[in-house]
Amino acid sequence: MRYVLKKLALLLLTLLIISLLAFLAFQVIPGDPTTKMLGSEATPERVAALRAELGLDQPVLARYWHWLTGCFKGELGLSYSYFQPVETVLSGKIQVTAWLSGLAFLLVIVLALPVGVLLARFEGGPVDKAMTVLNQIVMSVPAFFIGILFTYLFGLVLRWFVPGGYVSWRADMGAFLRYMIFPALAVALPKAAMCVKLLRSSILQELDQDYVRTGYSRGRSRGSVLRHHVLRNAVIPTITFLAVTLADIVAGSIIIEQVFSLPGIGRLLLLSISNRDFPVVQVIVVLIASLVVIINFLADISYQYIDPRIRLDR
Amino acid sequence: MKKRRNYNLILGLALTCAMVGLIVMGWLWTPFDPNAMDPASRLQSPSLTHLLGTDNFGRDIFSRVLQGAGATFLIGVAVVLIGGVCGVLIGGFCGYYGGWLDDLLMRSADIITAFPSILLALVIISLIGAGKYRIIIALGVLFIPSFSRLVRGEVARCKSQEYVANARLMGAKDLRVLFVHILPNTFPVLLSSLAIGFNNAVLAEASMSYLGIGVQPPDPSLGRMLSEAQTYFFSAPWYALSAGCAIVLLILGVGLIADGLGGRRRRDRA
Amino acid sequence: MLEVKDLSITFLDDGAKAVDSISFSMAPGERLGLVGESGSGKTVTALAIAGLLDRGRVRTEGQILFQGLDILSCKESELLKIRGKDVGMVFQEPMTSLDPLMRVGPQIEESLRVHSKLTARQRKALALQVMQHVDLPDPETTYRKYPHQMSGGQRQRAMIAAAFISRPKLLICDEPTTALDVTVQAQILNLLLRINEQSDVGLLFISHDLSVVRRLCQRVAVMYKGRIVETGPAEQVFSDPQHEYTQRLVAAIPSRGKGRRQ
């Protein structure tokens, strides 16, 4: 428990530092946002008024404090290009990205777990050899290229979905999921391939351990030893990988949203970067960064429950 | 134990050599001028004249892929060089001298490596702007932490070994011990990480160029070609396929090398 | 009960002959010691008898008849029925031979889970009973411990309990005391002796340590470079070794160092 609390304190500290860095990073950029919002013809009085409204006339740390406390109240600042509060701009977009990442992560697990176990179970056989080669290739394909291929194959040739025909989950959940499955799969495939490779080698490594022979000596078959002993031991190194993967998937969603024209935060991020709409960029960056930190925190904690050796060492 | 052939390494080297050979050829000679437009031969399918067909401006795709792959390859190499050299220096000194600076740098490295590099690259690009050299700098800087962490670990491990103590007894100075006796021993481990880093760099560059925030026109890049090709996918699928497969082959070859190197290391230890 | 006839084992990957036409037999309840230096083929022999050799990696000749069944040529499914039920095995390294992520209790009753139709409650009762039998302290608590929470000696006791719980006819112990402290070694040997005397389990004890074998076993077979060079009643082999290798082995036993570690 003390370990968890210590980690939690560290987590909060990291979040604070990240938010400060992200805030400061976008303050040092040259250029006054008011020029963009009002145009270059604006009168000095109007510029001053707007600067006061945006809080730009205050010192940096005061502005950070104002922004941070605002975040806890759900006020994330004002978008320069939409002239709207950032939370309004974000609303509805987070869900799209969350669904996409969640689906993709689920697919990684659903695809990688059985395949990895199967390959290790029949190591050296024709299936293993063929799949290992295929796996290596899939690993090397960028997710956005898979997305493009999917658009062509499933969208244009097989007509299983209409490229660009995104349906909001509010309108029709079924159609939404039917559309989302393709981008999710595109993100998931390379990651699943990496996971298969890791899991396979991790299982094979565990199969060399003495306790496996003990299992056999008690009358277990290869499959049974695999299920009852090896799998749990082999999953431990996979957890770190899955944590990293989840973060990668969220980042990968940014790109795949572009391929499938999904209105998620990834597209918003890109749009805001090219519009130099930094209040929005800053919030999205802090949002994703926090997610990454929290995922790693959860992975650390989950070790405690899976590996009894760690539980006692602390 | 019978000696097993390292198929991964052999295959990877063969594939990479073939790709690099094509790329070098592309620098010296391409069948057509990659930028020469020819409205008469727009969106032609692959043929003997145009091996991979032509694009929407009638440009020869094979020539363009060669040129794009060359650019992507150079960016990957440059990124890995920046990350590798700085990483070796920082990791070497941190691992050798330790102290609070080591603690601070490595803690920060832990945090930075936890983030997807593409996200951090996006942040840096949004701060300094897009373009070929900016991408190289952004990705290169981002790769420093992971390399320094790796080198630091290896150096710390080597430091406590006997031959280092020996070298010191023989009167070698700190810097000499570090550069002559320790750092060369980290290279076997570093090598496969450099290969993986190269792949990540290629992937990141391609993704960002695809998104339009990486390499800017008129500089060539495979990622940018893919985003152009996507529009014409239905009428000219070979365009996107060529560019995409070039990326895949590049990554596949180097990935196999990384695998082979890792595998050999494991056997050496056993 | 057990009869090994002209057994030869060759590793396929390097063609090395680990065991070269050895023969011996064991009566029910007998304690037989298999002695030899490392690399003499004794562990491979033990694994072969337990049916644990990877059939894809070795070529075997001869027969291992266990209760009339030929371990070498029978089907894998028949091996599964014997392992853990009629043949129990205790390995050298109690640290690594237990699953680090599983509590000790379930590991002790594992062979019951595989072979019997007992309920979980019955299994646990049996496990606690056998844990008591092998002198594991406070069985209820130990049942819920993980291997890393126990000492080496306790782990080896747990291994013995696990091998013994389904009352096998044959218990193969492959250097069970080598990794342990001298005092713990003696305790484990006494435990094995007691188990053997209180039931009809045969004990095939494999060791490089002559003095240990001498204390425990009634009969000894000495292995050297894959062959059995001498067999006979323990006392006879030790007092009047015939083969030159055995003579050297016996001469090498330090006079006072009964439980010398190597």
Side-chain angles (χ1 to χ4, degrees), chain B:
Chain B
M1 267 298 277
K2 225 189 289 180
K3 238 185 147 180
R4 272 195 64 231
R5 272 167 177 250
N6 195 337
Y7 288 108
N8 278 344
L9 192 61
I10 295 171
L11 212 70
L13 280 174
L15 190 56
T16 307
C17 283
M19 289 303 285
V20 172
L22 279 174
I23 285 168
V24 171
M25 185 193 94
W27 287 332
L28 304 172
W29 173 82
T30 49
F32 290 84
D33 178 354
N35 296 316
M37 303 186 192
D38 178 9
S41 55
R42 293 177 56 216
L43 295 173
Q44 281 184 359
S45 55
S47 63
L48 279 180
T49 5
H50 297 284
L51 280 177
L52 298 173
T54 60
D55 71 357
N56 48 310
F57 294 114
R59 297 176 294 193
D60 179 54
I61 293 177
F62 183 61
S63 307
R64 288 185 66 73
V65 167
L66 282 184
Q67 199 194 25
T72 299
F73 180 79
L74 272 190
I75 293 177
V77 169
V79 166
V80 168
L81 269 182
I82 295 179
V85 169
C86 298
V88 166
L89 288 178
I90 295 177
F93 281 110
C94 281
Y96 193 78
Y97 290 107
W100 63 269
L101 190 64
D102 169 45
D103 276 347
L104 182 74
L105 285 178
M106 289 306 131
R107 279 285 157 81
S108 325
D110 281 343
I111 295 177
I112 293 174
T113 41
F115 289 98
S117 48
I118 184 98
L119 179 74
L120 293 176
L122 276 178
V123 173
I124 297 185
I125 290 303
S126 69
L127 293 177
I128 65 174
K132 187 167 151 190
Y133 296 106
R134 286 169 174 157
I135 287 281
I136 292 177
I137 289 169
L139 289 176
V141 168
L142 282 179
F143 281 21
I144 294 174
S146 66
F147 286 128
S148 13
R149 213 167 54 154
L150 182 88
V151 172
R152 187 211 169 265
E154 285 291 300
V155 169
R157 194 176 58 81
C158 290
K159 206 175 95 176
S160 56
Q161 274 169 10
E162 248 168 70
Y163 71 93
V164 174
N166 267 339
R168 222 175 273 151
L169 281 178
M170 306 278 286
K173 295 252 169 38
D174 275 0
L175 279 183
R176 190 180 155 76
V177 171
L178 179 56
F179 280 95
V180 179
H181 297 283
I182 296 182
L183 283 179
N185 282 294
T186 66
F187 286 156
V189 181
L190 189 63
L191 214 57
S192 68
S193 306
L194 285 177
I196 294 169
F198 172 84
N199 273 352
N200 287 335
V202 167
L203 203 61
E205 184 275 318
S207 309
M208 285 163 66
S209 301
Y210 170 78
L211 294 177
I213 50 168
V215 175
Q216 300 294 320
D219 287 333
S221 144
L222 291 176
R224 222 165 49 72
M225 285 180 67
L226 261 176
S227 75
E228 286 167 18
Q230 202 184 358
T231 328
Y232 303 96
F233 208 136
F234 202 62
S235 44
W238 54 86
Y239 191 4
L241 278 177
S242 314
C245 288
I247 299 178
V248 173
L249 289 177
L250 205 58
I251 293 180
L252 183 62
V254 178
L256 283 171
I257 292 180
D259 251 33
L261 289 173
R264 205 180 59 187
R265 207 172 65 237
R266 228 171 289 131
R267 261 207 294 286
D268 283 350
R269 217 181 288 141

Side-chain angles (χ1 to χ4, degrees), chain A residues 210-211 213-221 228-229 232-233 236 306-309 311-312, chain C residues 52 80 83-84 91 96-102 107 110 113-115 146 148-149 159 162:
Chain A
D210 286 347
Y211 69 81
R213 201 177 51 185
T214 308
Y216 288 137
S217 83
R218 291 175 190 155
R220 287 210 185 274
S221 61
H228 288 93
H229 295 291
R232 257 166 69 107
N233 281 284
I236 291 179
I306 293 180
D307 195 337
R309 285 165 295 187
R311 212 182 302 170
L312 250 115
Chain C
L52 286 173
L80 288 181
R83 279 191 221 139
F91 295 98
T96 52
S97 296
L98 290 163
D99 185 341
L101 300 190
M102 204 184 209
Q107 297 200 54
E110 187 169 10
R113 262 189 85 176
V114 178
H115 293 291
Y146 285 98
H148 71 274
Q149 296 168 303
M159 281 296 288

Side-chain angles (χ1 to χ4, degrees), chain A residues 14 18 25-26 29 136-137 140-142 144-145 148-149 152 156 197 247-248 251 254-255 258-259 269-270 273 278 285 288-289 292-293 296, chain B residues 111 114-119 122-123 126-127 203 206-207 210-211 213 223 226 230 233-234 237 240-241 244-245 247-248 251-252 255-256 259:
Chain A
T14 316
I18 287 172
F26 292 107
I29 294 177
Q136 190 75 36
I137 296 175
S140 311
V141 187
F144 67 94
F145 184 47
I148 295 176
L149 292 178
Y152 181 66
L156 297 178
K197 187 174 172 184
D248 273 356
I254 298 174
I255 304 161
Q258 198 73 13
V259 182
L269 177 63
L270 288 173
I273 287 177
F278 293 122
V285 166
I288 298 182
V292 171
V293 177
N296 280 311
Chain B
I111 295 177
F115 289 98
S117 48
I118 184 98
L119 179 74
L122 276 178
V123 173
S126 69
L127 293 177
L203 203 61
S207 309
Y210 170 78
L211 294 177
I213 50 168
L226 261 176
Q230 202 184 358
F233 208 136
F234 202 62
L241 278 177
C245 288
I247 299 178
V248 173
I251 293 180
L252 183 62
L256 283 171
D259 251 33

Side-chain angles (χ1 to χ4, degrees), chain A residues 187-221:
Chain A
V187 178
L189 270 179
K191 296 291 167 203
M194 285 178 207
C195 194
V196 164
K197 187 174 172 184
L198 181 76
L199 194 61
R200 176 182 175 275
S201 74
S202 166
I203 290 177
L204 289 180
Q205 210 177 335
E206 287 298 322
L207 276 173
D208 274 346
Q209 301 288 317
D210 286 347
Y211 69 81
V212 172
R213 201 177 51 185
T214 308
Y216 288 137
S217 83
R218 291 175 190 155
R220 287 210 185 274
S221 61

